[in-house]
Amino acid sequence: ITENQCQLHYQPVFDLKTNLVCSAEALVRWQHPELGLMLPDEFIPIAEQSGLMVDLGDSVIKQSVQMVKKLQNGAMQGKAFYVAINVSAKQFEGHSLANKVVSLLQQHQLPTSSIRLEVTETAIMQDMNMALNELSALRENGIKIALDDFGTGYSSLSYLQTLPIDVLKIDRSFVTDLDTQENKAAIIKTVFGLANLLSLDVVAEGVETEAELKTIESIGTMNIQGYYFSAPLPWEKINAFIDSYLNIEIDAS
């Protein structure tokens, strides 16, 4: 962390309402000097166990805010764009997450709409009261919250009426082979309808084929991300991607 070996890659997110890139999810990678590029599954558990998750999380938020600032000074100037940042249960401890995020945004003269925080049900349930306090403080400051990996955790409907969230992210396990498995399509339709009734936005992740895209489009207009459009990209490539495809249109006809 201190040697800046933890770098961010960004996966574009598309809005089916506008057919434009609307955001990007920040995904941390460890550029290890001997082992090469390491994925989160290899080192996040170690960061959690060693007590370094808060420092790592702070680094991710800082880099993400800097990335948005660069984009708003460049390709995305004058356009709505945000970066989605994953946060862990450890970052809720100390009740300082909201203050850190708001302070960073003010420092870079960015609106609170520039970022969106994503948290899993599992992380919230580790200490629900503490998580609710921090999430509520974030929302009070205008920062939107996404419930990540929806459908793989507790998925209790009672949580949806109590959690201060704005977005449901449908887990990729429900999107894979969506076009050939009717049960999965039925689940996504149900989640999409429920989200609409609760005035929540929906993001479907893990879209990898044209057939999956067509099926999702037939269900409703939501935000989507996945390797069908782009893998997570380092800063130089995501900047070029957005600049080159600023008016990209998704044609599934």
Side-chain angles (χ1 to χ4, degrees):
I1 295 171
T2 57
E3 294 179 5
N4 297 317
Q5 293 176 6
C6 295
Q7 304 171 359
L8 296 187
H9 285 201
Y10 303 90
Q11 187 169 39
V13 179
F14 292 84
D15 185 349
L16 287 180
K17 293 178 182 179
T18 62
N19 289 339
L20 297 174
V21 180
C22 62
S23 65
E25 181 179 2
L27 300 163
V28 66
R29 306 286 188 260
W30 182 1
Q31 188 61 56
H32 196 285
E34 298 175 2
L35 302 177
L37 193 67
M38 298 177 66
L39 298 178
D41 289 348
E42 299 177 84
F43 62 89
I44 290 295
I46 301 172
E48 294 271 9
Q49 295 165 13
S50 63
L52 290 172
M53 195 60 224
V54 174
D55 290 338
L56 178 58
D58 288 349
S59 174
V60 169
I61 294 173
K62 183 177 180 180
Q63 290 184 59
S64 299
V65 170
Q66 291 172 341
M67 181 265 202
V68 177
K69 185 65 175 180
K70 289 179 182 178
L71 282 175
Q72 292 200 353
N73 287 336
M76 297 304 294
Q77 187 171 10
K79 297 179 175 62
F81 185 87
Y82 66 88
V83 172
I85 307 168
N86 296 284
V87 295
S88 74
K90 294 289 185 183
Q91 290 173 268
F92 294 133
E93 296 176 1
H95 306 285
S96 62
L97 180 60
N99 289 335
K100 288 178 182 177
V101 171
V102 173
S103 177
L104 265 175
L105 291 172
Q106 291 175 344
Q107 179 184 334
H108 289 82
Q109 297 181 317
L110 288 170
T112 52
S113 58
S114 299
I115 66 169
R116 181 175 293 178
L117 299 187
E118 300 188 353
V119 60
T120 64
E121 292 171 278
T122 303
I124 291 173
M125 293 308 298
Q126 288 190 32
D127 190 328
M128 191 166 184
N129 288 334
M130 182 168 59
L132 285 175
N133 288 336
E134 280 300 288
L135 293 176
S136 297
L138 287 161
R139 285 190 83 215
E140 287 171 5
N141 281 281
I143 296 168
K144 291 189 174 182
I145 308 296
L147 188 61
D148 200 6
D149 298 339
F150 184 72
T152 63
Y154 296 88
S155 301
S156 171
L157 297 183
S158 64
Y159 296 141
L160 292 183
Q161 65 179 356
T162 58
L163 294 177
I165 58 173
D166 307 278
V167 185
L168 289 181
K169 289 199 73 175
I170 299 174
D171 186 71
R172 67 188 63 190
S173 62
F174 296 107
V175 176
T176 302
D177 299 324
L178 171 64
D179 53 302
T180 59
Q181 298 188 30
E182 293 183 3
N183 287 344
K184 289 186 176 182
I187 290 172
I188 292 181
K189 285 179 182 177
T190 301
V191 172
F192 182 73
L194 178 63
N196 280 339
L197 290 173
L198 296 174
S199 299
L200 301 175
D201 292 331
V202 178
V203 178
E205 55 184 353
V207 179
E208 297 188 355
T209 68
E210 183 176 355
E212 290 168 357
L213 170 61
K214 286 182 177 180
T215 304
I216 288 175
E217 282 196 316
S218 70
I219 292 173
T221 52
M222 62 188 84
N223 290 354
I224 46 178
Q225 69 182 96
Y227 278 70
Y228 177 73
F229 308 103
S230 173
L233 302 170
W235 160 250
E236 297 80 6
K237 292 186 177 180
I238 188 67
N239 187 43
F241 180 94
I242 293 174
D243 193 36
S244 300
Y245 297 96
L246 200 54
N247 296 309
I248 188 171
E249 291 192 3
I250 303 168
D251 183 5
S253 60

